[in-house]
Amino acid sequence: SACLVGSEMCIRDRVVNMSLGSTGGSCGSTYQNVINDVYDRGISIVASSGNEAQEAPGLYGYPASCNNVISVAATDYLRNRAYYSTYNDQVDIAAPGGDLTADLSADGYADGILAYDTNEDLSFLQGTSMASPHAAGAIAVLYSLVPTLQPFQVDGLLADGYLTDDVGDEGKDNEFGYGQADPLLFVQSAGAIDSSLNITMDIETLEHIGNESTISGISSGGSPNVGFVQIKVGGGDWQQATDLSTNGDWSSWDLKLEPHIQSGNSTMYSRLVISDGQMSPVDARRVILIDGQTDSSEETSGKMTFGFYALIISLFAIITFLGWTKYIIRNKEMKEDNIDDFPPTFDNKDSL
């Protein structure tokens, strides 16, 4: 917490672990702004999801549920969710947290996590506060192996399943997030990342992305007729882009997205893949998915709006013309009636 209060202290570090938090409330704007500042400086923030699964099932804990924070749940010896571990749709990853009520390992000790209870004494403890440092430590190893990585790229690797064993329901779930942290996978993922390869999507952070929008971008470091570019939205499947480059090196590309099912906040990922063991760091962008379209639909909408107004103006002109014509005819008829009804006059010569 001191690191967040004085964020200048964090610049030399790449990972901040926060084994703390509270359940309920929200992530205040001041707090979120500090988190965003630390994140933008290239530092991953990891926090315990909370220990109130029984008292407050499904509620959010903070700071774990703030944006740009990796929320860590706890598992027991059998890699099930620990009975106390707070679960919700903001959980990103799970790690061992211990369970002092059981001895499933049958070693004569409660299944806690051996940690320093004081500065000098070791004790068996339990909680998501024990799980969070496991995840933070694995991320630190990843940064040490690939120093050029950025937090959003770590998020992309996590979301793609490169760093976890997918325990629980397939894909992301509320109890384990993307799965249980596997330190070996962190090391293997670091070996597969080639920093000479780069990819960038041509979208802005929090840009509105409509159904079946076309996403474009550029990449560098590829070779002609080797590899491919993939895009993924949220927890969906990877979609392969189309190469637009002149020599087949994927230096420019685009992709028409498949329709999304759910709207709202999401993350879009892209990567340049040369082989299973060689790929670019993931480019990840937070976006807002909307039900409409944001490409040709805007143009169509503009055309429809112009056509609508043109129709209204035409109808107004016709109605005005008909009204004016009717007025002229009616006015003429009234004049003729006045002539017919007026008594005849005679000049003096005729009257004589």
Side-chain angles (χ1 to χ4, degrees):
S1 58
C3 187
L4 286 182
V5 173
S7 57
E8 294 293 336
M9 299 168 56
C10 299
I11 296 175
R12 66 182 182 275
D13 301 319
R14 299 303 307 276
V15 185
V16 174
N17 177 66
M18 302 181 71
S19 292
L20 52 86
S22 60
T23 301
S26 62
C27 188
S29 59
T30 300
Y31 204 53
Q32 182 65 67
N33 288 338
V34 175
I35 289 172
N36 292 344
D37 180 59
V38 173
Y39 186 89
D40 291 340
R41 292 170 184 259
I43 300 164
S44 290
I45 303 172
V46 183
S48 51
S49 68
N51 302 320
E52 288 76 35
Q54 293 180 311
E55 298 83 0
L59 291 186
Y60 297 120
Y62 297 94
S65 295
C66 294
N67 293 330
N68 294 330
V69 176
I70 296 175
S71 177
V72 186
T75 55
D76 62 17
Y77 180 77
L78 297 179
R79 302 207 305 176
N80 296 317
R81 179 181 64 83
Y83 70 91
Y84 52 80
S85 180
T86 295
Y87 55 91
N88 51 59
D89 59 8
Q90 295 300 308
V91 169
D92 297 300
I93 194 170
D99 181 358
L100 296 178
T101 68
D103 179 18
L104 299 176
S105 62
D107 61 358
Y109 297 95
D111 292 335
I113 303 298
L114 190 61
Y116 280 99
D117 192 19
T118 67
N119 289 336
E120 299 178 355
D121 300 321
L122 287 169
S123 301
F124 285 105
L125 304 174
Q126 72 173 29
T128 54
S129 288
M130 308 300 112
S132 186
H134 281 90
I139 292 173
V141 170
L142 186 59
Y143 275 127
S144 69
L145 295 173
V146 190
T148 57
L149 275 182
Q150 294 298 311
F152 70 86
Q153 295 169 329
V154 174
D155 295 343
L157 290 170
L158 175 59
D160 195 32
Y162 281 107
L163 310 179
T164 58
D165 291 330
D166 190 8
V167 297
D169 296 336
E170 183 177 357
K172 190 175 189 292
D173 60 69
N174 291 357
E175 295 191 343
F176 306 96
Y178 293 103
Q180 174 147 318
D182 186 331
L184 179 59
L185 292 179
F186 278 74
V187 175
Q188 291 175 345
S189 296
I193 297 171
D194 186 346
S195 297
S196 69
L197 304 174
N198 293 283
I199 188 167
T200 303
M201 292 181 287
D202 187 21
I203 57 176
E204 301 292 334
T205 300
L206 297 182
E207 182 173 332
H208 288 194
I209 303 297
N211 262 318
E212 300 183 272
S213 295
T214 298
I215 305 300
S216 60
I218 59 175
S219 69
S220 63
S223 300
N225 304 315
V226 176
F228 48 86
V229 165
Q230 291 181 314
I231 309 295
K232 183 170 76 167
V233 180
D237 296 328
W238 285 104
Q239 305 172 46
Q240 185 161 326
T242 299
D243 184 11
L244 302 179
S245 65
T246 57
N247 63 347
D249 64 354
W250 295 90
S251 56
S252 63
W253 51 267
D254 70 6
L255 170 72
K256 184 177 182 180
L257 296 175
E258 297 176 356
H260 55 253
I261 300 175
Q262 294 183 334
S263 300
N265 293 327
S266 186
T267 304
M268 187 171 294
Y269 308 94
S270 66
R271 64 183 182 184
L272 171 61
V273 180
I274 303 301
S275 65
D276 289 341
Q278 184 184 14
M279 65 188 68
S280 70
V282 174
D283 182 23
R285 307 292 178 88
R286 288 174 293 152
V287 297
I288 300 176
L289 302 179
I290 60 175
D291 292 331
Q293 295 181 331
T294 54
D295 292 324
S296 59
S297 62
E298 291 182 353
E299 181 181 353
T300 302
S301 176
K303 291 179 179 178
M304 290 177 62
T305 301
F306 175 80
F308 177 77
Y309 283 117
L311 177 62
I312 292 297
I313 292 172
S314 299
L315 289 175
F316 180 79
I318 293 172
I319 293 172
T320 302
F321 176 78
L322 292 176
W324 177 252
T325 302
K326 184 175 181 180
Y327 170 79
I328 296 297
I329 295 173
R330 179 60 178 164
N331 189 50
K332 183 177 181 181
E333 291 176 346
M334 290 179 64
K335 287 182 178 180
E336 292 176 352
D337 290 343
N338 289 337
I339 294 174
D340 293 340
D341 294 338
F342 200 84
T345 59
F346 305 92
D347 59 22
N348 291 333
K349 291 182 180 180
D350 291 336
S351 62
L352 293 176

